[in-house]
Amino acid sequence: MNIKTERLALVPYDAEALRLLTTDQTAFESRMGVIYDGEPMEGFIRDFFVSTLQQVETAGDRYPLITFWLFHHIELNKYIGSACFKGWPNAQGHSEIGYGIHTPYEGQGYTTEAVKALIQWGEAQPEVKQVIAETEKNNPASMRIMEKCGMLRYMETEEAYWW
């Protein structure tokens, strides 16, 4: 399953793809037929992908609700960023989305394009009543993405806004 936007294909990663991405990037690129040009798979980014992999391994067919969706730039044939739903929807049906893009692709509208499509996809799932997100107050670019996606702020903490 892929979601197509104007410039991107959003691809949800199953357990095997996540395993390869976190352990053998060359094998990942060979299997997927695409170049990975996202954030380096190290530190907290790798840890987050590995923890997601552990959840995806037991999710069955429902894995798109909790996995990473990589942003496949169709023209460049590169993965340039990703988004994920951070765990299963809560008791109220809220599913939190997180996202990131590799620095060379920032400011070109790719993240907004991808996140908007994923919010629409998420809210069409029976388990999801609403997609939510947290942005740090010192991250105006992320706040602009939320605004462009039609999200409204509903809560504020000392360090963050909730959309």
Side-chain angles (χ1 to χ4, degrees):
M1 164 183 31
N2 294 348
I3 298 172
K4 300 260 176 154
T5 68
E6 183 180 338
R7 302 174 291 174
L8 304 170
L10 309 177
V11 184
Y13 276 84
D14 63 14
E16 181 60 20
L18 288 171
R19 187 177 295 96
L20 286 174
L21 183 58
T22 58
T23 60
D24 187 346
Q25 193 167 318
T26 302
F28 169 83
E29 290 177 341
S30 177
R31 177 180 185 241
M32 305 310 292
V34 67
I35 298 165
Y36 178 79
D37 195 18
E39 294 294 327
M41 196 55 58
E42 54 192 31
F44 78 91
I45 292 174
R46 184 181 181 285
D47 293 345
F48 194 41
F49 272 77
V50 169
S51 70
T52 300
L53 166 61
Q54 293 166 351
Q55 293 178 48
V56 168
E57 288 176 323
T58 61
D61 292 343
R62 296 176 58 219
Y63 77 91
L65 278 169
I66 59 168
T67 195
F68 278 91
W69 292 69
L70 270 65
F71 307 166
H72 177 189
H73 190 293
I74 297 167
E75 185 178 326
L76 299 175
N77 196 35
K78 291 182 177 183
Y79 288 123
I80 62 172
S82 64
C84 71
F85 294 98
K86 298 180 178 181
W88 298 108
N90 67 18
Q92 294 80 33
H94 296 166
S95 187
E96 183 181 354
I97 193 169
Y99 45 87
I101 194 157
H102 195 40
T103 305
Y105 305 100
E106 289 178 345
Q108 299 174 52
Y110 295 120
T111 307
T112 300
E113 185 176 325
V115 171
K116 189 180 289 187
L118 285 170
I119 289 170
Q120 291 173 347
W121 178 88
E123 290 182 343
Q125 304 312 301
E127 301 95 325
V128 179
K129 303 287 184 252
Q130 189 171 43
V131 174
I132 62 172
E134 175 186 22
T135 60
E136 295 177 0
K137 287 184 174 179
N138 64 357
N139 190 343
S142 191
M143 287 185 260
R144 280 193 306 278
I145 290 167
M146 290 292 91
E147 291 167 350
K148 290 178 183 177
C149 288
M151 302 284 277
L152 302 172
R153 283 192 294 200
Y154 71 90
M155 187 171 71
E156 179 178 349
T157 65
E158 189 173 312
E159 297 176 357
Y161 295 115
W162 283 89
W163 303 79

